[in-house]
Amino acid sequence: LLSCRLYCEEAKDPKRRSCQTVLAEALDIIVRSFAPILPHLAEEVFQYIPYKKGSEGVFRTGWINASSAWKKPGIEEAIEGACAMRDSFLGSISGKNSLEYEVIIVIEPGLLFELMEALQAEETSSVSQLNEIMMASQTTLLSELPKETPSDANIVKGTFLINLEGGDICEQSSYKVIARPIAKAKCPRCRRYTAESSSTPCPRCLQVLAAGKGST
């Protein structure tokens, strides 16, 4: 997920910048956390941080105070739910390359479906947060099984317990995951199977490359 955002998106794309922000925040907290135990190492890492710091040394930064902006209701549950579905998907393909598949997630209308919609607004996407978590080339989010689903399709069923507001909102939802070999070609740039041919980048990569040429 990190490699795709960092190396495949445009330099100023919000997805790439948000990934860098999270990595910077994680590094800052980790360095300040182990500073009392490994002071010399922590100070050396701190001095090599490549962005502007609010202090000259790690021991002058004060104690860690996580910003309340990082706490968004429902996000943790959405990620955990998506990870549970990803585990179902990966388990169904027995160690094969997940990028060679497209995933269909079926969830009845309810809280879990709404949480997944927060990660993927479109019905089908190859660039959504949900698809990145699933580690597939394409993810489709539906509220009912497609009519063309073969009778012998490998459908993995599961449940996920949603617990919000300290237990005030509690709902157990069921889901189905279907993995199908994807029919598209491997993109030579991002390595996902989202291209029309193996010699041509996928639409997302073509857009990024065009934007890069336009800014030079």
Side-chain angles (χ1 to χ4, degrees):
L1 188 152
L2 292 178
S3 61
C4 184
R5 287 195 174 197
L6 288 173
Y7 302 119
C8 295
E9 299 292 353
E10 188 182 354
K12 295 182 179 180
D13 189 281
K15 290 182 180 179
R16 185 175 186 273
R17 296 303 302 272
S18 65
C19 180
Q20 291 176 309
T21 298
V22 171
L23 291 174
E25 186 74 10
L27 176 62
D28 178 69
I29 291 176
I30 290 172
V31 170
R32 289 199 283 162
S33 295
F34 69 66
I37 305 171
L38 298 168
H40 298 292
L41 176 61
E43 184 62 34
E44 183 176 3
V45 173
F46 187 83
Q47 293 302 326
Y48 276 94
I49 290 177
Y51 48 84
K52 185 177 181 180
K53 304 176 286 290
S55 177
E56 296 181 357
V58 68
F59 288 99
R60 295 181 179 274
T61 59
W63 191 240
I64 302 165
N65 292 310
S67 171
S68 59
W70 293 96
K71 184 64 176 177
K72 295 185 178 180
I75 292 298
E76 182 178 354
E77 288 73 16
I79 300 298
E80 289 179 351
C83 287
M85 297 174 199
R86 179 190 62 194
D87 292 343
S88 297
F89 160 55
L90 295 178
S92 70
I93 61 175
S94 304
K96 297 177 182 178
N97 183 2
S98 62
L99 291 176
E100 296 179 359
Y101 289 83
E102 62 174 321
V103 181
I104 299 174
I105 300 173
V106 182
I107 310 171
E108 293 184 358
L111 187 54
L112 182 59
F113 188 86
E114 293 175 5
L115 290 175
M116 292 305 105
E117 280 189 315
L119 300 177
Q120 178 170 302
E122 310 88 350
E123 183 177 284
T124 300
S125 178
S126 60
V127 297
S128 68
Q129 295 181 72
L130 179 58
N131 188 66
E132 289 181 343
I133 294 171
M134 295 303 294
M135 299 169 59
S137 280
Q138 180 175 286
T139 297
T140 299
L141 180 62
L142 301 173
S143 58
E144 58 183 16
L145 279 173
K147 294 180 179 179
E148 67 273 13
T149 303
S151 58
D152 60 345
N154 183 17
I155 302 176
V156 180
K157 299 180 180 180
T159 60
F160 182 74
L161 179 63
I162 302 171
N163 196 331
L164 294 172
E165 304 295 337
D168 291 340
I169 301 175
C170 190
E171 180 179 301
Q172 182 159 317
S173 301
S174 60
Y175 62 84
K176 300 181 181 73
V177 175
I178 306 170
R180 301 192 306 196
I182 196 161
K184 294 185 178 181
K186 186 178 182 179
C187 173
R189 182 174 181 270
C190 69
R191 307 298 181 182
R192 292 187 175 184
Y193 290 76
T194 51
E196 297 302 322
S197 72
S198 58
S199 60
T200 306
C202 67
R204 187 271 301 271
C205 287
L206 285 174
Q207 184 177 356
V208 172
L209 291 171
K213 290 180 180 179
S215 61
T216 56

